């Protein structure tokens, strides 16, 4: 896969993401720390504060980064806790590490029973959907007026909207590309890591690379516009 130049929208999202502070942390340290403070796949507010203190990440607004509170609020479930899975995906996508390390940790996030294999259907229905949710809706919305001009903020909203329009088609394209054998029902960690690292040269394993791939799909195969009759059906 050819390297893609970053658009102005993607550059400003990356600046906003850096406000969280994951970019200089090794993904294995992120994974180990979040798991250490979690309980039964969940993390409460006190545990999150302890994680933030240990990793020196930011979980509240500061300076121009005024949408961190909102992101974490939206990640919280009805019980006021976070799913470990959500926080790990964000950390893996933003942290430092090889594509092999990131793919391996991503697999382990969804191999909850440590059986060493997951159903192939979960790649499309859970893994890729979760990656999209956090790359686009969680991290994409971190851009604030204090970080960019009004015109760039509007361009960013349009950019994210375009990615949402292509979500289903792009996820299908990725899942079809990852699994060549359509009769395969389960996949082990080694094969998952190989597939994720070979597809688009592993670029989907960073939040920026994931979004940029979706943008390319939007450009090459734009969603069909649905025409509606403004006059309604004739009686």
């Amino acid at each position: 896969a050819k390297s893609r130049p970053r658009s102005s929208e993607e550059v400003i999202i990356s600046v906003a993401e850096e406000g969280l502070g994951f970019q200089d942390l090794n993904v294995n340290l992120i994974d180990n720390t979040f798991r250490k403070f979690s309980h039964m796949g969940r993390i409460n507010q006190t545990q999150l504060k302890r994680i933030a203190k240990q990793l020196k990440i930011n979980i509240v607004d500061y300076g121009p980064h005024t949408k961190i509170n909102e992101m974490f609020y939206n990640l919280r479930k009805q019980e006021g806790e976070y799913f470990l899975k959500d926080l790990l995906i964000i950390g893996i996508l933003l942290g430092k590490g090889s594509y092999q390390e990131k793919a391996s940790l991503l697999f382990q996030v969804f191999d909850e029973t440590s059986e060493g294999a997951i159903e192939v259907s979960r790649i499309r229905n859970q893994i890729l959907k979760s990656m999209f949710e956090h790359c686009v809706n969680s991290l994409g919305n971190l851009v604030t007026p204090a970080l960019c001009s009004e015109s760039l903020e509007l361009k960013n909203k349009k950019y994210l909207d375009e990615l949402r329009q292509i979500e289903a088609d792009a996820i299908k394209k990725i899942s079809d590309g990852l699994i060549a054998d359509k009769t395969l029902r389960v996949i082990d960690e080694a094969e998952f890591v190989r597939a994720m690292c070979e597809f688009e040269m592993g670029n989907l394993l960073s939040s920026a690379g994931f979004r940029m791939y979706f943008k390319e799909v939007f450009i090459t195969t734009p969603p069909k516009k649905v025409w509606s009759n403004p006059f309604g059906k004739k009686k």
Side-chain angles (χ1 to χ4, degrees):
K2 61 183 180 298
S3 61
R4 307 178 183 92
R6 292 196 181 192
S7 64
S8 58
E9 299 97 318
E10 193 54 54
V11 169
I12 199 61
I13 293 176
S14 295
V15 171
E17 289 174 333
E18 289 176 3
L20 295 172
F22 283 103
Q23 69 275 6
D24 294 324
L25 298 173
N26 182 272
V27 287
N28 289 294
L29 175 63
I30 294 169
D31 183 82
N32 290 336
T33 305
F34 273 95
R35 289 185 183 276
K36 172 185 173 182
F37 286 98
S38 68
H39 178 65
M40 297 183 69
R42 293 182 176 239
I43 290 174
N44 63 31
Q45 195 65 31
T46 298
Q47 291 164 330
L48 182 63
K49 288 178 180 178
R50 289 171 179 164
I51 291 168
K53 183 178 181 181
Q54 183 153 330
L55 292 178
K56 295 182 173 59
I57 58 173
N58 301 303
I59 59 172
V60 295
D61 292 350
Y62 71 98
H65 299 282
T66 56
K67 287 195 174 181
I68 296 177
N69 286 357
E70 181 181 327
M71 188 194 85
F72 279 99
Y73 176 82
N74 290 334
L75 287 173
R76 291 175 73 174
K77 305 308 171 186
Q78 287 183 340
E79 300 84 356
E81 296 179 320
Y82 305 90
F83 286 149
L84 172 64
K85 187 178 296 182
D86 292 326
L87 299 177
L88 283 178
I89 291 170
I90 290 172
I92 291 167
L93 289 167
L94 295 182
K96 286 172 57 177
S98 68
Y99 290 142
Q100 288 81 6
E101 287 175 309
K102 289 190 168 200
S104 181
L105 291 174
L106 186 62
F107 179 92
Q108 291 167 26
V109 168
F110 288 87
D111 181 23
E112 300 94 340
T113 55
S114 299
E115 294 179 357
I118 59 175
E119 294 178 358
V120 168
S121 61
R122 295 185 68 195
I123 294 176
R124 179 191 297 185
N125 298 330
Q126 295 181 25
I127 298 178
L128 294 174
K129 283 189 175 181
S130 294
M131 291 173 74
F132 178 89
E133 174 64 26
H134 296 307
C135 286
V136 176
N137 296 327
S138 298
L139 299 171
N141 286 328
L142 285 172
V143 173
T144 69
L147 289 172
C148 62
S149 65
E150 184 178 353
S151 60
L152 184 50
E153 188 181 11
L154 291 173
K155 282 180 66 179
N156 180 67
K157 289 178 180 178
K158 181 175 180 289
Y159 174 61
L160 296 176
D161 184 57
E162 290 173 347
L163 304 189
R164 294 182 185 110
Q165 290 178 48
I166 207 72
E167 177 183 359
D169 290 342
I171 284 178
K172 182 180 186 302
K173 187 173 182 178
I174 296 169
S175 60
D176 288 347
L178 288 174
I179 309 299
D181 183 357
K182 304 310 174 188
T183 65
L184 201 64
R185 293 290 174 263
V186 297
I187 187 170
D188 63 20
E189 183 172 343
E191 181 60 22
F192 178 82
V193 170
R194 183 199 64 76
M196 288 296 294
C197 291
E198 288 184 1
F199 188 86
E200 289 291 305
M201 295 177 62
N203 286 327
L204 298 185
L205 291 160
S206 73
S207 58
F210 193 91
R211 287 187 298 265
M212 290 165 70
Y213 175 79
F214 272 65
K215 178 62 176 182
E216 185 170 283
V217 173
F218 181 87
I219 292 171
T220 56
T221 54
K224 294 179 181 179
K225 292 184 179 180
V226 179
W227 182 83
S228 60
N229 183 355
F231 302 105
K233 293 182 180 180
K234 293 183 178 179
K235 293 184 179 179

